[in-house]
Amino acid sequence: SLELTQPSAVSVSPGQTARITCSGDALLNLYTYWYQQKPGQAPILLIYKDVQRPSGIPERFSGSTSGTTATLTISGVRAEDEADYYCQLADSSGIYVFGTGTTVSVL
Amino acid sequence: QVQLEESGGGVVQPGTSLRLSCAASGFILRDYAIHWVRQAPGKGLEWVTVISYDGSNKKYAEFVKGRFTISRDNTNNTVDLLLTSLRLEDTALYYCVRRPQAYGLDVWGRGTMVTVSS
């Protein structure tokens, strides 16, 4: 099934590393995409095809996958990284699904 | 400047219809698939539908159940989303989003709010 599960919240101190997981059986064979959404703003694309970073996205954002779990890692977290993060996939028929979303709090 | 702008949102009663429109500027719309993604107040992102670059292929989320129809006019650089049989649970901010081939959803509009209320 096309369900993606994320932790509802992650807390991290400035300068530390935040890891956000996205789990789902479909991730075994499909690419994962990651988006960041700050309050009152539209989402922005952070990672595409599991590990690729669009131009303009800081290097501290990285993606990885292992089996049925994808992970977004934010290294050296900054206060400005406080936001909601969503994973997303598209199946072979063109149906998209978003993960449940994770709120990252920078303490 | 590359951007998408949604319009057509409003407050409507259950069972009625609404047509949303997405206008593109700064790029050639016909080169891209266009998606609609919605977000209910205080909730997460929910994918709604996609139309291929030439309009020949359309996909819908299961919850749509034949109530929504996506279309495009590449001559006028617009994509429409017709919402019918609206339900209370369709209340959301509806985003129009661009997707280049083999890429993610890279350009998002600011959204247009649809409120279904009796």
Side-chain angles (χ1 to χ4, degrees):
Chain A
S1 67
L2 287 182
E3 293 183 355
L4 298 176
T5 302
Q6 300 179 233
S8 58
V10 168
S11 297
V12 60
S13 299
Q16 299 302 302
T17 296
R19 293 182 179 84
I20 303 164
T21 57
C22 173
S23 300
D25 292 343
L27 291 176
L28 193 60
N29 301 304
L30 299 172
Y31 286 125
T32 307
Y33 300 76
W34 290 94
Y35 301 85
Q36 176 194 66
Q37 185 181 33
K38 295 183 178 180
Q41 298 183 18
I44 63 169
L45 177 66
L46 284 180
I47 299 290
Y48 66 100
K49 287 188 171 181
D50 294 343
V51 300
Q52 303 297 324
R53 198 171 42 247
S55 61
I57 299 301
E59 291 183 8
R60 65 179 183 275
F61 292 95
S62 63
S64 62
T65 64
S66 178
T68 59
T69 298
T71 302
L72 174 70
T73 300
I74 312 173
S75 304
V77 169
R78 301 182 179 184
E80 67 208 53
D81 298 331
E82 195 162 89
D84 292 330
Y85 293 82
Y86 297 90
C87 58
Q88 171 254 308
L89 63 76
D91 73 5
S92 56
S93 71
I95 299 297
Y96 281 54
V97 66
F98 286 94
T100 50
T102 299
T103 298
V104 170
S105 299
V106 181
L107 305 173
Chain B
Q1 184 179 2
V2 172
Q3 58 183 12
L4 294 165
E5 183 173 3
E6 304 89 342
S7 61
V11 180
V12 296
Q13 292 188 330
T16 61
S17 301
L18 204 57
R19 181 180 291 274
L20 308 183
S21 188
C22 172
S25 57
F27 69 98
I28 300 173
L29 188 72
R30 65 174 179 267
D31 291 342
Y32 299 88
I34 297 294
H35 296 246
W36 286 90
V37 175
R38 72 182 187 181
Q39 187 168 35
K43 302 297 185 182
L45 301 175
E46 184 173 42
W47 180 78
V48 179
T49 181
V50 59
I51 187 167
S52 60
Y53 71 99
D54 62 355
S56 63
N57 196 15
K58 306 171 187 179
K59 299 290 183 182
Y60 298 92
E62 193 172 333
F63 69 81
V64 169
K65 298 186 189 299
R67 300 181 299 127
F68 299 173
T69 303
I70 191 170
S71 60
R72 68 189 300 157
D73 180 347
N74 285 339
T75 301
N76 291 315
N77 246 21
T78 59
V79 172
D80 285 357
L81 181 62
L82 176 63
L83 312 175
T84 66
S85 301
L86 282 163
R87 305 168 178 169
L88 297 177
E89 56 265 34
D90 294 320
T91 293
L93 185 64
Y94 284 73
Y95 291 104
C96 170
V97 195
R98 182 183 88 166
R99 181 189 176 266
Q101 194 167 7
Y103 205 63
L105 302 172
D106 74 332
V107 176
W108 295 64
R110 300 179 70 173
T112 185
M113 187 68 200
V114 173
T115 302
V116 184
S117 174
S118 55

